[in-house]
Amino acid sequence: MGISSLPGEGQEPTLARRFPLIVADDGILFPGDRLVVALSGGVDSSVLLHLLRFSQGLPPFELLAAHFDHRMRQDSRNDLLWVKGLCQAWSVPLLTGEASGRPESEEDARDQRYTFLFATKEREKASWILTGHQADDQAETVLFRVFRGTGLRGLAGIPRQRSPGVYRPLLEVSRPELLAYAGRMGVRFLEDSSNRSLAAARNRIR
């Protein structure tokens, strides 16, 4: 990944005001909750962590960031070092894990990541795992399932909440909104070069 940032515009982004309302409307997070935030270092997860850490109007949470190294790229260890620096700057504890070997597929990598996240949630006695899935991910997932011949159930897309304890508060937020927030608030993030590869079906959909 390469480090990306956008120029600030000196204006409070709309998302900074919207996010506490989204969380309040969902009504599942409470003061004192311990939350595990899945942090890849990309714009989605970095903005999510920043919103949870610095937004006014949120209940006081105990935040833990969790980074999983899939080992699918030779430079993935650099991502870990960068994420460590980000969490240190924001005073958020970071928990890490890595794949035992190179995953056989994107699905295998995702399964290993969630295994790590669920184990972290249980060990840390956290209330929820929060991921940075956003509105564009939702649309891509539905299209991906349509192309694979999904039934009606698959057309439902990504749920905002699922058992055991996964919450996706950004599903109503578009990627342009996240990029605008990052630019205005000075949130730097990592750009995954593998997202530009057409070998992955999801990238071809994008």
Side-chain angles (χ1 to χ4, degrees), residues 39-59:
L39 180 65
S40 68
V43 63
D44 303 343
S45 62
S46 297
V47 166
L48 174 61
L49 184 62
H50 190 275
L51 286 164
L52 290 163
R53 176 69 178 84
F54 298 108
S55 291
Q56 297 183 0
L58 287 176

Side-chain angles (χ1 to χ4, degrees), residues 58-102:
L58 287 176
F61 302 129
E62 184 177 353
L63 298 178
L64 302 170
H67 177 81
F68 185 74
D69 182 359
H70 299 96
R71 300 177 63 184
M72 295 185 74
R73 302 189 334 276
Q74 291 184 347
D75 61 350
S76 63
R77 294 292 295 180
N78 294 334
D79 299 350
L80 172 60
L81 295 176
W82 191 89
V83 166
K84 282 183 176 179
L86 179 71
C87 289
Q88 183 176 6
W90 292 355
S91 300
V92 177
L94 175 66
L95 306 171
T96 64
E98 65 177 12
S100 56
R102 184 182 176 87

Side-chain angles (χ1 to χ4, degrees), residues 9-168:
E9 298 179 18
Q11 176 182 350
E12 183 184 9
T14 302
L15 183 56
R17 298 188 294 271
R18 283 182 59 205
F19 185 73
L21 300 177
I22 291 171
V23 171
D25 287 345
D26 286 338
I28 62 172
L29 302 185
F30 300 98
D33 276 353
R34 174 174 275 199
L35 307 177
V36 172
V37 183
L39 180 65
S40 68
V43 63
D44 303 343
S45 62
S46 297
V47 166
L48 174 61
L49 184 62
H50 190 275
L51 286 164
L52 290 163
R53 176 69 178 84
F54 298 108
S55 291
Q56 297 183 0
L58 287 176
F61 302 129
E62 184 177 353
L63 298 178
L64 302 170
H67 177 81
F68 185 74
D69 182 359
H70 299 96
R71 300 177 63 184
M72 295 185 74
R73 302 189 334 276
Q74 291 184 347
D75 61 350
S76 63
R77 294 292 295 180
N78 294 334
D79 299 350
L80 172 60
L81 295 176
W82 191 89
V83 166
K84 282 183 176 179
L86 179 71
C87 289
Q88 183 176 6
W90 292 355
S91 300
V92 177
L94 175 66
L95 306 171
T96 64
E98 65 177 12
S100 56
R102 184 182 176 87
E104 298 178 359
S105 64
E106 289 187 26
E107 183 176 359
D108 182 26
R110 183 174 62 252
D111 290 344
Q112 290 192 47
R113 176 175 178 249
Y114 273 104
T115 296
F116 160 70
L117 291 172
F118 288 134
T120 300
K121 174 180 178 292
E122 181 176 357
R123 184 179 66 250
E124 299 296 329
K125 297 180 172 54
S127 303
W128 294 92
I129 297 167
L130 276 68
T131 72
H133 290 90
Q134 34 87 357
D136 294 45
D137 295 322
Q138 182 74 284
E140 289 168 9
T141 295
V142 172
L143 284 174
F144 183 69
R145 292 176 178 176
V146 167
F147 291 149
R148 294 181 61 182
T150 187
L152 291 177
R153 183 177 180 182
L155 295 178
I158 305 171
R160 291 179 66 79
Q161 306 165 34
R162 78 170 177 88
S163 179
V166 177
Y167 175 41
R168 302 172 174 113

Side-chain angles (χ1 to χ4, degrees), residues 180-192:
Y181 179 94
R184 292 166 180 167
M185 301 299 282
V187 177
R188 302 185 75 192
F189 54 89
L190 296 172
E191 189 68 42
D192 189 346

